[in-house]
């Protein structure tokens, strides 16, 4: 497909990748129709500050936005939000939205990113057990960041450690459970991991290294976490930071090649020449 044949571009996913795709298209001189579809009620925003200044209440949502929402209208971009794309009809080149509306495309960009892993444990759906990926996740957690509350963080990666640090600043009682023998085990050297372990411990964070959660305890609301070794840790709040998995639901439904993510070439083109990811 030549660039001249592309008049209508749909971008599914209004995260940073989707927002950048819109910007690059317009900066590159594309004057055709662009539709940006996002599930969240916000224009594309930065995620890294979520576990730091946004969680701490030091940064407002408008300062997270990559560009002011008015820019999309000024650049003639149809920004549909909050709405979910539920189906891709590759034969007729149409994207179906929740509610039944269908939008045609000449080129489609899947910028659906990843979804956080849920704790694979009984009790993971109890009130007070949270994932950490979106601004809405943080908005749900922040009112419970009160001094003296018992927080258990499952996972000692960057997200888990950043959340633990902010929690201690707010006076929470914090325990981090990590299945590995040191924090940041997959991404740093033992020396760097040791530095973070020492610093967090100095700030009052407790670590259970080599620990394996077995059960989230509670009836309607979480009350604790039981470990496989029989230990029980009380909790008012549990936050899971155990990584993400590629969001490939739409791609799988329409038959694109998937191998632990959407398969693309060096130009981000999928197994369908009209779809990029």
């Amino acid at each position: 497909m030549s660039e001249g044949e592309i008049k209508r571009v749909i971008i599914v996913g209004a995260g940073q990748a989707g927002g950048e795709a819109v910007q690059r298209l317009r900066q590159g001189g594309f004057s055709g129709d662009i539709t940006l579809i996002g599930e969240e009620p916000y224009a594309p925003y930065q995620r890294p500050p979520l576990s730091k200044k946004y969680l701490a209440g030091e940064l407002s949502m408008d300062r997270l936005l990559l560009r002011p929402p008015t820019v999309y209208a000024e650049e003639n971009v149809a920004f549909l939000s909050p709405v979910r794309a539920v189906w891709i009809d590759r034969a007729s080149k149409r994207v179906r939205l929740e509610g039944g509306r269908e939008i045609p495309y000449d080129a489609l960009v899947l910028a659906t990113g990843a979804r956080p892993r849920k704790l694979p444990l009984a009790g993971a759906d109890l009130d007070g057990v949270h994932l950490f990926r979106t601004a809405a996740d943080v908005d749900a957690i922040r009112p419970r960041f009160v001094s003296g509350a018992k927080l258990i963080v499952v996972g000692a990666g960057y997200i888990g450690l950043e959340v633990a640090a902010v929690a201690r600043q707010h006076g929470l009682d914090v325990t981090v459970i990590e299945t590995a023998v040191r924090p940041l085990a997959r991404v740093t050297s033992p020396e760097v991991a040791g530095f973070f372990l020492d610093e967090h411990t100095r700030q009052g964070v407790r670590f259970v290294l080599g620990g394996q959660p077995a059960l989230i305890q509670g009836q309607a609301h979480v009350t604790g976490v039981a470990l496989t070794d029989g230990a029980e840790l009380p909790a008012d709040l549990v936050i899971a930071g155990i990584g993400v998995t590629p969001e490939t639901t739409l791609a799988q439904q329409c038959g694109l090649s998937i191998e632990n993510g959407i398969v693309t070439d060096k130009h981000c083109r999928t197994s369908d020449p009209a779809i990029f990811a």
Side-chain angles (χ1 to χ4, degrees), residues 1 5-11 25 30 33 35 93 95 104-110 269 273-276:
M1 178 184 296
E5 295 174 320
I6 301 176
K7 303 296 183 184
R8 300 166 299 187
V9 175
I10 293 177
I11 301 169
L25 281 167
F30 179 72
D33 295 339
T35 300
K93 291 185 178 178
V95 173
Y105 66 84
D106 299 313
L108 171 64
V109 178
L110 297 179
R269 196 184 302 267
I275 302 179
F276 299 80

Side-chain angles (χ1 to χ4, degrees), residues 221-277:
H221 185 87
V222 62
T223 59
V225 176
L227 304 181
T228 54
D229 65 3
E232 296 185 356
L233 306 176
D236 302 306
L237 182 65
V238 174
I239 296 176
I242 57 173
V244 297
T245 56
E247 177 49 79
T248 59
T249 303
L250 278 175
Q252 288 177 307
Q253 286 176 344
C254 71
L256 297 180
S257 295
I258 306 291
E259 290 180 18
N260 189 34
I262 304 170
V263 177
T264 70
D265 64 15
K266 64 182 180 180
H267 301 295
C268 297
R269 196 184 302 267
T270 70
S271 52
D272 183 320
I275 302 179
F276 299 80

